[in-house]
Amino acid sequence: MNIHEYQAKELFEKFGVPTPKGKVADTAEQAKVAAAEIGSNIVVKAQVHAGGRGKGTFKNGFKGGVHLVQTPDEAADIAGKMIGQVLVTHQTGEEGKLVSKVMVADGVEIEKEYYLAILMDRESKSPVIVASTEGGVNIEDVAEHTPEKIFHQAIHPLLGLQPYEVRKLSAKLGFAGDQAKQFGKLLAALYRLFIECDCSMVEINPLVTTPDGRVLALDAKFDFDDNALYRHPEIAALHDPTEEDPREVEAAKYHLNYIGLDGNIACLVNGAGLAMATMDIIKHCGGEPANFLDVGGGASQEQVTNAFKIILGDPKVKAILVNIFGGIMDCDVIAKGIVAACKEVSLNIPLVVRLEGNNVEAGKRTLAESDVALISADTLADAADKAVKAIAA
Amino acid sequence: MAILVDENTKILVQGITGSFGGRHAQLSLDYGTQLVAGVTPGKGGQKFADKVPIFDTVAEAVEVTGATVSAIFVPPPFAGDAILEAVDAGCDLVVAITEGIPVMDMMRVRAAMEGKKTRLIGPNCPGIVTPGLGKDSHGGCRIGIAPGYIHKRGKVGVVSRSGTLTYEAVWQLTNLGLGQSTCVGIGGDPINGTTHLDVLKMFNDDPETEAIIMIGEIGGSNEEIAAAWAKENCKKPMAAFIAGSSAPPGRRMGHAGAIVSGGKGTAAAKIEALRDAGIEVAKNPSDMGQALVRAMG
């Protein structure tokens, strides 16, 4: 799960990671009040999850999702042009993202930019701190062109962050004296936040030093472990469903694992690995999958019905491929779900069904005896081939 | 001899009184597996299915029944603790079926298991099956949630991160007349107990296993590591399939560990590593069984 920049800032404040002064605003008037507290050198930033805001363009023609202004009136003017508008950046896709809030922050002067992140590393099975003297740019570019400027430190899962590890990183980044102390405090606070909030990643880019000697986190990006949200209701509450594909939000209500894609062959599969493989074989046969959809190992008839409705709600979908390997799951349950769904939603596109496994004969009978028009397939390859051909026909 | 478990292995189930654990414990009993104990704190003294004794602690269950393997069906918030309890009780093998354990918990569990004799399989995995010699492979050792009847006793070792995709592969093999020595689901989480490489080494050393099929998916570099080892060391014909060629980058595809991030963990890179190691890569998921036939020449 991701959160907004202003929410990240609030978490930083709670854990003692220093950031520039700033507030979130829902209206131009609120932005003006917030800006007045800062005085001059005010940054107004559109709050959407996507990156590339500064270079983005609003659909009303206004350019840039990040602006530096000098007076509260200017801040109000800029905020007014952003709030309620749709921002398109290289990460949002052409549909863009609706901006409902802006952050108004102190546009601190920057002396030097750094990069600092903590992530859960699957190879070392521990948190790893990643730091670089090259901040404010894409870290993947730094990794490719000047890997010697990136420093890694794996942290022992049970010991936690040790003082020598902090000193080592501080020295590599070139901090000395009071700034080394500030960096040490910031890193300790950031590590505590990472562990206590079950983050899978927290990234500060850039971390900056100012001409008056402060060390500050200027931006933040979080990724939380979805599996741990049950023990962090305050973080789960930061979830903003308007940032997500509405089809995915709807699917989540029924505990369906759905990811919307751009193709026109929808798939409904049990199991994540098989669902991925089904997308792959559609592509292999020359088609384009419209979604990833895992109905889970023990899906109910109701879940299957809802899954069908979500799939059919996508206007791009031109055919449906159902691929079920009923290991333990009863194929007849799936068949009944399909029939029930087709009764509720009028099905006017080709439906290819491949059922295999437990109680498959009963499932096939249920489908055959219903008045649902479907194309049955024997193997996964046969099913994908028939779905692709059904669209071409 | 298969790997990890055989028809004589005694297993216990932690979380046997839950609906999920109970259902699959029953299916294992029906398959003929030596399921000798259940553990649910507070329910010690009761019996499961009128015959399997339930204990309050894993230590008691192990002491009384001689179980050496634990299958974990405990809900995610308590699963890390359950794994550590089985490790403490001296189990040789712990198979964690539970899906949705926080990564931070698994990180600590793995660190705490350092230096212990217990092997962990999973979490978020379908478990292990060593098929039996009876009808529909009855009489084998079934730990976890895989359908028993799709298996057939034989000589192919199967290792995979996924559940239903593994069943698909096993079903293709069985229909081609190719039985399995042992099928191991290592799970779809980013931090797990046993890797493809660990299982590959076991299959390589197992006299009963004559060919190996390895099923991977996007995310991490487990498959590449296994491929590099296999190139130099594997004595047996191998086939493989990688799921997720068509997955968009940056999205978690159902499994917590199935994500391409920062250009790493792509299907293309994995397939290249596998091919470089001389492993026969299935063209598509319908071709997994045939790919192994080609590999065996």
Side-chain angles (χ1 to χ4, degrees):
Chain A
M1 190 191 93
N2 299 317
I3 58 174
H4 285 294
E5 184 188 11
Y6 74 92
Q7 295 167 328
K9 187 176 165 58
E10 285 165 12
L11 267 181
F12 274 0
E13 282 165 5
K14 187 176 160 195
F15 280 83
V17 177
T19 63
K21 203 166 142 183
K23 267 191 182 153
V24 65
D26 293 319
T27 63
E29 195 47 43
Q30 281 180 13
K32 188 175 174 178
V33 175
E37 286 179 28
I38 294 162
S40 59
N41 277 335
I42 305 149
V43 203
V44 182
K45 296 162 124 178
Q47 297 295 291
V48 288
H49 285 181
R53 290 174 297 176
K55 290 188 179 126
T57 304
F58 288 86
K59 283 196 170 166
N60 62 359
F62 185 61
K63 286 205 185 308
V66 178
H67 283 260
L68 181 67
V69 297
Q70 293 305 325
T71 69
D73 281 332
E74 285 176 286
D77 177 50
I78 297 289
K81 285 174 178 150
M82 292 181 176
I83 295 169
Q85 300 300 323
V86 175
L87 177 63
V88 179
T89 81
H90 71 274
Q91 283 189 2
T92 60
E94 56 192 62
E95 65 274 24
K97 288 262 171 88
L98 177 70
V99 176
S100 53
K101 288 175 166 53
V102 296
M103 192 165 87
V104 180
D106 184 3
V108 292
E109 268 188 78
I110 297 169
E111 190 178 69
K112 183 167 168 42
E113 295 181 299
Y114 301 83
Y115 174 92
L116 181 64
I118 308 176
L119 47 95
M120 185 57 86
D121 178 50
R122 50 207 285 176
E123 309 308 334
S124 66
K125 299 178 173 59
S126 68
V128 169
I129 298 173
V130 183
S132 175
T133 49
E134 306 301 298
V137 292
N138 187 348
I139 195 69
E140 272 135 30
D141 293 341
V142 182
E144 197 182 325
H145 301 295
T146 48
E148 70 282 1
K149 290 182 178 168
I150 298 183
F151 314 108
H152 296 88
Q153 181 68 50
I155 307 302
H156 191 283
L158 303 181
L159 292 176
L161 183 66
Q162 300 296 303
Y164 81 87
E165 291 164 337
V166 177
R167 293 196 300 274
K168 190 171 143 194
L169 282 168
S170 180
K172 291 208 166 172
L173 293 177
F175 288 122
D178 183 57
Q179 283 192 340
K181 268 188 202 155
Q182 287 185 53
F183 173 75
K185 265 191 174 169
L186 183 148
L187 182 53
L190 189 70
Y191 189 78
R192 199 165 65 83
L193 192 171
F194 177 84
I195 296 291
E196 287 183 18
C197 295
D198 276 290
C199 298
S200 39
M201 184 201 69
V202 49
E203 178 184 68
I204 300 174
N205 191 18
L207 174 82
V208 303
T209 52
T210 63
D212 58 355
R214 291 180 295 160
V215 181
L216 296 172
L218 221 56
D219 196 4
K221 200 176 152 197
F222 278 84
D223 191 5
F224 297 95
D225 178 5
D226 292 341
N227 287 341
L229 287 176
Y230 74 87
R231 59 189 177 200
H232 302 289
E234 75 293 351
I235 290 168
L238 302 178
H239 179 230
D240 180 357
T242 65
E243 284 285 338
E244 281 169 24
D245 185 328
R247 296 173 296 178
E248 291 174 22
V249 176
E250 182 70 11
K253 280 189 206 159
Y254 306 105
H255 305 285
L256 297 166
N257 219 327
Y258 176 97
I259 294 173
L261 301 167
D262 295 328
N264 54 13
I265 300 178
C267 27
L268 186 158
V269 190
N270 65 329
L274 193 59
M276 268 189 275
T278 304
M279 287 163 43
D280 294 347
I281 200 165
I282 289 172
K283 202 142 186 171
H284 180 82
C285 292
E288 284 293 334
N291 64 277
F292 166 92
L293 173 57
D294 167 17
V295 296
S300 66
Q301 190 179 317
E302 191 203 355
Q303 270 181 308
V304 174
T305 307
N306 284 310
F308 245 76
K309 285 189 200 162
I310 290 164
I311 285 176
L312 290 169
D314 181 346
K316 288 200 296 285
V317 170
K318 297 285 177 271
I320 301 174
L321 195 171
V322 174
N323 178 29
I324 299 295
F325 195 101
I328 302 300
M329 176 190 248
D330 189 331
C331 287
D332 198 33
V333 170
I334 296 283
K336 284 178 175 150
I338 294 170
V339 173
C342 293
K343 271 186 191 148
E344 286 185 50
V345 201
S346 62
L347 181 74
N348 48 14
I349 52 173
L351 167 67
V352 181
V353 181
R354 183 257 179 161
L355 288 180
E356 187 60 81
N358 189 17
N359 213 11
V360 62
E361 294 311 321
K364 284 185 174 167
R365 210 177 313 124
T366 298
L367 291 175
E369 286 167 3
S370 76
D371 47 10
V372 177
L374 58 86
I375 304 164
S376 72
D378 289 327
T379 66
L380 186 40
D382 183 35
D385 194 49
K386 282 177 172 160
V388 172
K389 284 191 177 129
I391 287 183
Chain B
M1 184 55 202
I3 66 163
L4 294 163
V5 292
D6 62 24
E7 58 270 28
N8 300 313
T9 305
K10 289 182 176 175
I11 72 165
L12 66 87
V13 170
Q14 285 174 261
I16 199 164
T17 53
S19 63
F20 189 46
R23 178 158 186 235
H24 286 285
Q26 185 60 54
L27 287 167
S28 286
L29 284 172
D30 296 345
Y31 192 63
T33 299
Q34 305 295 312
L35 199 169
V36 298
V39 174
T40 298
K43 298 203 173 162
Q46 299 181 13
K47 284 214 157 76
F48 174 78
D50 294 328
K51 58 177 173 183
V52 179
I54 298 175
F55 299 87
D56 284 323
T57 67
V58 179
E60 276 177 279
V62 165
E63 197 184 313
V64 175
T65 66
T68 56
V69 176
S70 176
I72 294 185
F73 284 90
V74 172
F78 318 108
D81 180 63
I83 295 169
L84 292 174
E85 185 184 356
V87 172
D88 178 68
C91 289
D92 293 328
L93 179 68
V94 176
V95 183
I97 306 303
T98 310
E99 177 174 4
I101 305 176
V103 183
M104 227 43 110
D105 293 7
M106 282 316 301
M107 171 187 89
R108 294 191 186 101
V109 164
R110 280 305 314 269
M113 285 179 72
E114 203 64 37
K116 308 276 186 186
K117 69 164 186 174
T118 310
R119 170 173 292 286
L120 172 68
I121 303 267
N124 187 14
C125 78
I128 308 176
V129 176
T130 290
L133 290 164
K135 183 179 182 286
D136 291 338
S137 77
H138 187 272
C141 182
R142 172 191 182 270
I143 302 172
I145 58 174
Y149 69 91
I150 63 170
H151 297 81
K152 173 185 161 76
R153 174 77 158 251
K155 292 168 177 166
V156 179
V158 180
V159 55
S160 169
R161 274 162 75 180
S162 153
T164 45
L165 184 58
T166 313
Y167 313 156
E168 175 81 40
V170 168
W171 188 239
Q172 287 176 22
L173 292 172
T174 297
N175 282 327
L176 287 166
L178 295 168
Q180 305 90 41
S181 54
T182 301
C183 303
V184 185
I186 59 173
D189 274 5
I191 294 185
N192 63 4
T194 294
T195 63
H196 279 112
L197 176 57
D198 298 329
V199 181
L200 204 52
K201 285 179 176 171
M202 288 182 245
F203 280 138
N204 200 38
D205 292 339
D206 173 37
E208 195 188 322
T209 301
E210 292 180 1
I212 302 162
I213 183 157
M214 180 168 100
I215 300 161
E217 63 193 32
I218 53 166
S221 53
N222 244 304
E223 293 85 352
E224 289 92 322
I225 293 167
W229 181 87
K231 188 178 181 179
E232 304 296 328
N233 303 288
C234 191
K235 304 175 294 215
K236 301 176 182 180
M238 274 186 77
F241 176 70
I242 301 291
S245 294
S246 58
R251 300 300 308 265
R252 258 172 238 287
M253 306 305 285
H255 289 151
I259 180 167
V260 172
S261 55
K264 295 209 176 79
T266 63
K270 289 173 192 292
I271 290 168
E272 194 188 320
L274 292 163
R275 290 212 170 110
D276 179 59
I279 297 166
E280 180 71 28
V281 180
K283 292 192 286 282
N284 62 60
S286 261
D287 182 48
M288 293 186 286
Q290 285 296 344
L292 190 70
V293 171
R294 292 196 297 275
M296 290 165 76

